Amino acid sequence: MDFLSNAFNNIIGFLTSASFWMKTLQLIMSLSLLVFVHELGHYFFARLFRIRVDKFYLFFNPKFSILRWDPKNHTFNFFKKNPSEEEEEELRKEADKESDRAKKTSWRDTVYGMGWVPLGGYCSIAGMVDETTSASQLSAEPKSWEFRSKPAWQRLFVMVGGVLFNFLTACVIYAFLTGIYGDSYVPLKNAQYGMRFSQCAKDIGFKDGDIILGADGKEIINSIDSVLNAKKVSVLRNNADTVDINIPKNYILKVEDDAQAQSKSGVNNPLVFAEFMYPVVIKSVTSGGADKAGLKSGDQLLSVNGVETPDYRSFREVLLKNKDTSSSIAFMREGKLDSLKVQVDADGKIGISVKPINEVLPVVVTNYSFIESVGMGFKRGWSQLLSYITMFKYVFTKEGVKSLGSFGAIGSLFGETINWYSFWTITAFLSIILAFMNILPIPILDGGYVLFLLIEMITGWKPSEKFMDICLKIGFAFILLLMVYALGNDVFRFVLQ
């Protein structure tokens, strides 16, 4: 009973938190865009090759649609009940007759709409066996405007259109981010105060203060991912000794589990493997205890109640342990050591903002022209794709299966408040993931169709509609089971633990 009671309380607390709804909003915004782009890719190539598209929907619409636009019949409806199966069949037959008479198709043949279940979308293409059309619903003789009557290479383009558009979307987002914000980073070798490491990093030999030099004999500029996928990492310790640290197999999964455990324990900003250490220097005094005590902009905070705080994370941790107290804070001002009694409020804050990393450590900043930004966008998109493919191999390990997640895991990537740079960076990465996952050779996914089309182009054997229908049902059952398992992992990871 205690378990059920705690689980129920956790679920209620999780669903009613402002953080949950803010992350959910960002998740829906991001996936809505990516699903629309994906289906637009299929639609674009279908129309390019003059294939009729019967429906184009964002989100699924069981029973009714939030929005339904039929340009041919000049109807535009909100909260429209779906036609019955018999009515759908009659509409399909009528559309077939009109297409036969006109001997061509147009964008007006498509019903555009928005469903109410924000878990995806679909593009119903005439003459194609998919989740919206079974083999029994297709007419005996293929029509010139149907998917099944087109050459294999055209059908191939229609099927890879969604994946291609998702990849291009990621590259475009990266290009815009590069053009607007440039490329700004602190090289790992500039970590003059060293780095702070998570517990799982310390468990294999890293120590706070280490400076990462290279991985597998190659210098690392600014990519922590290179460390996680390496076999051996070299660090500079105590500014004197070079130490080699062996990275265990599948270590990246342990890092992910450690970050999730931190988040579950209440850490707002989990330490994922490593971060730069740099002094806590006041940027501005806003209000509260710091203002009343006399702290000023430029003061470097050294300790709280005798506990050293060499970086912001340790400073925050000590303040949280001294909530609602008057604490002694030692600081350096214009080269002189001093201390003051400062009131810490109930949230563990004293009313200051601190200088960000780019105002304390040497930063490399590169700005790009429009053309250069486009090139960097494609370069970054390709790099992210290769990185994700490398990480995907861990899914087939015991630890990887445990780490599978669905919408909960994806939603956790977003922040508790909307930061547009972060939002678009995550959206670009999700677009890469969506492209890769859809090209996997599993029936019901685009990759399943691509596999059969490639076999047809190589061997000349074209699978029948009935065969495709059976394969799609098997693929759907597999994906459904996988989603249930992943959703179960989300519930256990974010709610029940």
Side-chain angles (χ1 to χ4, degrees):
M1 290 299 293
D2 287 342
F3 171 78
L4 292 177
S5 177
N6 290 335
F8 179 77
N9 290 333
N10 285 343
I11 292 172
I12 295 299
F14 184 71
L15 294 178
T16 56
S17 66
S19 171
F20 168 78
W21 289 107
M22 182 56 69
K23 289 174 181 283
T24 300
L25 173 63
Q26 294 179 79
L27 175 64
I28 293 175
M29 289 167 55
S30 179
L31 291 186
S32 298
L33 171 65
L34 299 184
V35 168
F36 174 79
V37 166
H38 183 87
E39 299 305 329
L40 186 62
H42 294 310
Y43 179 89
F44 173 81
F45 283 104
R47 294 299 308 127
L48 180 66
F49 299 126
R50 299 182 180 180
I51 302 171
R52 194 182 77 203
V53 179
D54 293 324
K55 293 181 182 179
F56 184 96
Y57 259 76
L58 174 65
F59 304 152
F60 297 119
N61 60 315
K63 301 297 183 183
F64 72 94
S65 302
I66 292 178
L67 181 152
R68 190 176 189 273
W69 176 40
D70 184 347
K72 178 174 287 186
N73 295 312
H74 308 288
T75 59
F76 192 96
N77 305 104
F78 289 100
F79 297 97
K80 176 72 173 178
K81 183 180 178 181
N82 295 341
S84 65
E85 291 185 12
E86 293 76 14
E87 290 172 328
E88 285 278 18
E89 185 63 25
E90 287 300 318
L91 290 171
R92 189 191 302 272
K93 289 179 179 179
E94 186 61 33
D96 288 351
K97 290 178 182 178
E98 289 186 21
S99 295
D100 280 338
R101 285 195 299 267
K103 295 183 179 181
K104 64 179 181 178
T105 63
S106 79
W107 66 272
R108 294 181 181 276
D109 296 320
T110 306
V111 174
Y112 306 87
M114 184 171 74
W116 56 275
V117 182
L119 300 179
Y122 63 93
C123 180
S124 181
I125 299 173
M128 174 180 170
V129 177
D130 60 10
E131 65 272 21
T132 65
T133 307
S134 64
S136 61
Q137 292 176 297
L138 298 182
S139 59
E141 292 297 325
K143 307 295 183 179
S144 61
W145 36 262
E146 285 188 321
F147 175 83
R148 55 181 172 159
S149 68
K150 299 298 180 179
W153 69 269
Q154 291 186 4
R155 285 179 278 136
L156 181 65
F157 270 100
V158 173
M159 294 318 305
V160 300
V163 170
L164 178 62
F165 269 44
N166 276 134
F167 177 72
L168 291 176
T169 297
C171 294
V172 168
I173 292 174
Y174 285 137
F176 271 101
L177 291 177
T178 301
I180 295 171
Y181 296 97
D183 194 6
S184 175
Y185 64 92
V186 177
L188 293 176
K189 65 181 181 180
N190 287 357
Q192 59 193 62
Y193 300 97
M195 304 196 77
R196 175 177 289 278
F197 293 89
S198 65
Q199 187 56 52
C200 72
K202 294 177 181 177
D203 289 342
I204 64 171
F206 290 96
K207 292 184 178 182
D208 287 342
D210 286 349
I211 299 175
I212 297 174
L213 299 176
D216 295 334
K218 298 179 181 179
E219 181 185 5
I220 300 177
I221 305 300
N222 68 327
S223 176
I224 294 295
D225 288 344
S226 301
V227 175
L228 302 180
N229 290 309
K231 295 180 179 179
K232 182 177 291 186
V233 175
S234 300
V235 301
L236 180 65
R237 183 164 295 168
N238 300 323
N239 289 317
D241 304 318
T242 300
V243 178
D244 289 333
I245 299 171
N246 294 317
I247 306 297
K249 188 177 180 180
N250 300 336
Y251 180 65
I252 192 170
L253 299 176
K254 293 183 175 63
V255 172
E256 183 180 338
D257 288 343
D258 180 63
Q260 290 175 356
Q262 292 179 61
S263 180
K264 196 65 185 178
S265 66
V267 178
N268 290 327
N269 183 28
L271 174 53
V272 182
F273 183 70
E275 66 185 11
F276 287 94
M277 295 178 67
Y278 54 94
V280 182
V281 180
I282 297 177
K283 184 179 180 69
S284 64
V285 178
T286 54
S287 61
D291 185 41
K292 294 178 181 178
L295 289 175
K296 297 181 179 180
S297 174
D299 289 348
Q300 180 180 334
L301 310 183
L302 304 176
S303 67
V304 178
N305 290 334
V307 179
E308 292 186 359
T309 55
D311 63 349
Y312 184 71
R313 184 176 291 273
S314 61
F315 180 70
R316 284 291 302 138
E317 289 173 353
V318 177
L319 283 186
L320 287 170
K321 292 178 181 178
N322 289 275
K323 293 187 291 187
D324 280 329
T325 65
S326 179
S327 300
S328 176
I329 296 183
F331 60 93
M332 186 75 71
R333 179 182 294 170
E334 297 178 351
K336 296 181 180 179
L337 184 63
D338 202 349
S339 66
L340 287 170
K341 283 286 186 178
V342 181
Q343 182 64 38
V344 184
D345 67 17
D347 295 322
K349 298 179 180 179
I350 60 174
I352 63 169
S353 66
V354 301
K355 290 187 177 182
I357 186 172
N358 60 342
E359 294 183 19
V360 180
L361 295 179
V363 177
V364 172
V365 179
T366 307
N367 294 314
Y368 299 93
S369 67
F370 174 78
I371 298 298
E372 290 173 330
S373 297
V374 172
M376 289 298 296
F378 277 88
K379 181 179 179 181
R380 188 173 176 185
W382 182 250
S383 176
Q384 288 283 29
L385 177 60
L386 293 180
S387 177
Y388 187 75
I389 292 173
T390 300
M391 291 178 62
F392 187 74
K393 65 182 180 183
Y394 296 112
V395 170
F396 303 101
T397 65
K398 182 179 179 180
E399 296 87 351
V401 171
K402 291 180 180 179
S403 69
L404 282 176
S406 62
F407 296 102
I410 298 172
S412 67
L413 297 173
F414 294 96
E416 296 182 0
T417 58
I418 296 182
N419 176 292
W420 288 114
Y421 179 84
S422 176
F423 172 84
W424 286 113
T425 300
I426 295 170
T427 297
F429 182 59
L430 291 181
S431 197
I432 293 287
I433 294 176
L434 188 61
F436 175 75
M437 297 302 292
N438 265 285
I439 205 63
L440 293 176
I442 301 172
I444 206 68
L445 299 180
D446 296 342
Y449 290 95
V450 169
L451 176 63
F452 287 121
L453 284 167
L454 290 176
I455 292 174
E456 179 184 345
M457 293 172 72
I458 294 171
T459 67
W461 173 72
K462 182 179 180 180
S464 66
E465 281 82 14
K466 187 175 181 181
F467 176 82
M468 289 297 298
D469 209 4
I470 294 172
C471 289
L472 290 179
K473 289 177 180 177
I474 295 172
F476 179 78
F478 173 76
I479 294 297
L480 183 62
L481 288 174
L482 192 63
M483 285 295 295
V484 169
Y485 178 82
L487 186 61
N489 274 354
D490 282 349
V491 172
F492 182 76
R493 186 182 301 122
F494 298 109
V495 179
L496 299 182
Q497 273 192 338

